[in-house]
Amino acid sequence: MPRKIVERPQPIEYLSILDWTGKVDRKLEPDIPEETLKTIYRAMLFCRLFDERTLQLQRQGRIGTFAPIKGQEAAQVAAVVQLKPTDWFIPSFRETAAQIYRGLTPQDVWLFYAGYNEGVRVPDDKHDLPLCVPVASQCQHAVGIAYASKYKGTDEVTMVFHGDGATSEGDFHEAMNFAGVYQLPVIFVCQNNQWAISIPRERQTRSKTIAQKAIAYGFGGIQVDGNDPLAVYVAAREAIERARSESMPTLIECVTYRLGVHTTADDPKRYRRDEEVKEWEKKDPIPRFEKYLKAKGVMTDEDFAGLREEIRDELKRAWKETEAKIREFEAGSPDVIFDHIYAVEPPELAEQRAYFLERIKREGRPDA
């Protein structure tokens, strides 16, 4: 019986076009229309300022815990900007930038983090799913949707986001296997932000890259500089074309960094060094993209400053509207928490509702 090599390792491509100093590789630079470049930049900046405002609101006790996105704007916006409205977008819990680009409003996000489910309701005509907190479970949803799209013969593409920690979960591997076996039009976008809460990337997997995990499942993977919007744009464009025309999946590993906390309940100083954060701050995608746009003559310093003021004003108005909506909800009946659980309310739940209302009547509302 022979001992022989049956398969040699397949190389994994790494793509970077715009370095952290703003210098672009002209040979690799994609031909992106100026309006699209401005759209990407505005969406990235909007979500950076939205993130900062949301952190202030959380620290003031006006909303609950949330997962900031600071540093990961390029990996999200540049990936979804080429999806059609009819394509499917499946987020985890840190894709606020991509969610807002796809149509969610700041008011929606704030309402959700203030405790109201109304904030995550997706309009019936949208092909987006609400955020998903159980790690990697959204990958299963994505391949199911992609399978349905292929079965029905549509040209819809599904893009699902997850973190590097999700690649340690069974749901991720089951979804990848299903996508490979059935050759589904699905794109897995891994935001490898180096930390799965307090566990560093090197303790997540012995694989040299996350992208190479796709090889085991029979399709392609690519690793890109996730803080480089041009590289993410090119990788997403190629993956979308492959999914739409060949019905083949792709795994895109965006190498990025979580500049802030995992969630607002987390203290990263307990497990990572300030020096590491400072090194990654030099690679921040927003100033890097600003240098590129300025050198290309697409935007000026005055444009950047004006846009920041415009967005801050927009966010002020949005929070006033959110506060008004919260007051409206609080003025309603508190037994709304029993609604929408069953189509026909069972007797034990009706009993609990009656007890709850009687107690409120006897003791008053906690917030009164």
Side-chain angles (χ1 to χ4, degrees):
M1 300 295 284
R3 174 180 285 190
K4 60 182 182 180
I5 302 296
V6 294
E7 190 71 40
R8 293 195 179 278
Q10 181 178 325
I12 287 293
E13 184 183 10
Y14 174 80
L15 179 62
S16 177
I17 300 172
L18 184 66
D19 74 12
W20 66 274
T21 67
K23 183 181 177 184
V24 67
D25 185 328
R26 297 294 177 197
K27 292 179 182 175
L28 296 174
E29 183 184 13
D31 183 17
I32 304 176
E34 284 194 7
E35 285 308 309
T36 304
L37 291 172
K38 290 179 181 176
T39 297
I40 294 172
Y41 174 73
R42 190 186 193 285
M44 289 170 56
L45 181 64
F46 186 95
C47 290
R48 173 65 61 91
L49 299 179
F50 170 80
D51 207 54
E52 291 173 357
R53 181 65 179 128
T54 305
L55 186 59
Q56 292 172 349
L57 293 171
Q58 195 278 333
R59 295 313 192 209
Q60 293 165 1
R62 299 185 184 190
I63 63 169
T65 296
F66 79 102
I69 55 171
K70 185 178 180 182
Q72 299 181 219
E73 296 89 350
Q76 297 183 27
V77 175
V80 298
V81 73
Q82 297 163 95
L83 291 178
K84 296 179 180 178
T86 50
D87 291 331
W88 289 86
F89 163 63
I90 320 291
S92 69
F93 54 81
R94 201 187 298 281
E95 275 70 56
T96 316
Q99 284 181 295
I100 289 178
Y101 181 81
R102 290 281 290 182
L104 209 65
T105 66
Q107 295 91 319
D108 293 329
V109 180
W110 285 331
L111 276 179
F112 174 70
Y113 288 122
Y116 298 97
N117 287 333
E118 285 82 353
V120 285
R121 185 184 183 280
V122 177
D124 294 338
D125 61 342
K126 289 278 188 181
H127 280 190
D128 297 1
L129 263 56
L131 64 82
C132 187
V133 175
V135 176
S137 57
Q138 74 278 12
C139 298
Q140 304 270 21
H141 308 157
V143 293
I145 289 171
Y147 182 82
S149 296
K150 185 172 182 178
Y151 183 78
K152 291 190 291 188
T154 72
D155 71 343
E156 297 162 354
V157 169
T158 298
M159 182 176 283
V160 57
F161 284 77
H162 56 83
D164 44 299
T167 65
S168 297
E169 296 283 344
D171 281 356
F172 167 78
H173 294 280
E174 291 175 23
M176 292 278 285
N177 188 55
F178 194 85
V181 168
Y182 291 97
Q183 298 184 13
L184 301 180
V186 59
I187 301 160
F188 298 85
V189 180
C190 175
Q191 291 190 86
N192 172 10
N193 67 10
Q194 312 303 317
W195 289 91
I197 308 183
S198 58
I199 303 298
R201 151 72 177 83
E202 59 270 20
R203 288 179 58 194
Q204 281 290 320
T205 177
R206 290 294 298 275
S207 299
K208 194 160 186 174
T209 70
I210 289 173
Q212 71 194 69
K213 295 178 185 292
I215 297 171
Y217 298 105
F219 55 91
I222 181 171
Q223 187 185 65
V224 303
D225 180 343
N227 286 8
D228 172 1
L230 302 185
V232 176
Y233 183 94
V234 169
R237 182 182 63 192
E238 292 172 356
I240 291 170
E241 288 174 357
R242 188 159 42 247
R244 210 180 305 282
S245 62
E246 304 172 31
S247 189
M248 282 300 292
T250 302
L251 170 60
I252 301 173
E253 177 189 356
C254 295
V255 180
T256 179
Y257 192 77
R258 163 170 50 89
L259 289 173
V261 295
H262 170 68
T263 71
T264 47
D266 169 58
D267 179 9
K269 290 184 180 299
R270 294 173 66 88
Y271 54 82
R272 74 180 184 190
R273 295 175 295 107
D274 288 343
E275 292 78 13
E276 177 184 306
V277 180
K278 285 185 171 60
E279 281 302 307
W280 277 94
E281 283 175 345
K282 297 175 185 173
K283 305 171 186 174
D284 189 323
I286 291 182
R288 179 193 300 200
F289 201 32
E290 286 176 350
K291 289 173 186 170
Y292 172 71
L293 294 175
K294 192 175 169 182
K296 199 174 176 66
V298 175
M299 295 181 75
T300 63
D301 287 336
E302 290 72 25
D303 293 331
F304 299 140
L307 191 55
R308 281 179 182 269
E309 287 307 306
E310 176 190 314
I311 292 171
R312 286 196 173 104
D313 288 343
E314 188 176 336
L315 291 173
K316 284 179 186 173
R317 291 194 297 273
W319 176 245
K320 285 183 179 177
E321 291 174 12
T322 307
E323 282 187 307
K325 199 68 180 176
I326 290 173
R327 285 195 293 271
E328 181 185 321
F329 286 145
E330 289 178 343
S333 176
D335 66 330
V336 68
I337 60 174
F338 292 93
D339 294 346
H340 312 302
I341 299 174
Y342 293 96
V344 178
E345 191 172 68
E348 59 271 21
L349 199 64
E351 186 180 344
Q352 288 179 30
R353 181 195 291 266
Y355 172 78
F356 176 73
L357 289 172
E358 190 277 331
R359 186 172 174 180
I360 290 287
K361 185 178 178 182
R362 186 176 66 243
E363 301 178 7
R365 292 174 60 145
D367 57 346

